[in-house]
Amino acid sequence: MSSSLTVRYFAGARAAANGVSAEPAEATSLDELTQLLSDRHGERLAMVLKSASFLVDGLTCHDRRAPLPTGATIDVLPPFAGG
């Protein structure tokens, strides 16, 4: 069953999502979410998502297969210059 999520985009991820800063999504894991967002916004965002970091309710999540909690806020953080 999919979880209702809020996805927030920052910096280059926002630009790659056509300027969208936040939007709702339904997904059970980050893997599923990245596929959904790639399908929704296209190859430019897909490339950013491959190297992006994700915060789930403010906590870094490295396991893209971990279940996402219903109602979570997912922050998409692209790699930043300088580190």
Side-chain angles (χ1 to χ4, degrees):
M1 186 164 119
S2 295
S3 297
S4 295
L5 309 166
T6 299
V7 180
R8 300 189 305 182
Y9 301 100
F10 293 89
R14 181 179 296 167
N18 302 311
V20 173
S21 60
E23 66 182 336
E26 299 270 336
T28 59
S29 68
L30 288 175
D31 274 347
E32 185 179 319
L33 180 64
T34 56
Q35 184 61 56
L36 172 87
L37 298 176
S38 296
D39 292 347
R40 187 181 288 177
H41 293 287
E43 185 62 27
R44 188 171 167 210
L45 182 60
M47 294 301 293
V48 171
L49 294 173
K50 286 179 183 177
S51 58
S53 298
F54 296 90
L55 301 181
V56 177
D57 288 335
L59 300 173
T60 301
C61 182
H62 298 289
D63 183 356
R64 292 187 179 213
R65 291 172 293 179
L68 295 171
T70 298
T73 296
I74 312 300
D75 294 332
V76 181
L77 307 170
F80 293 98

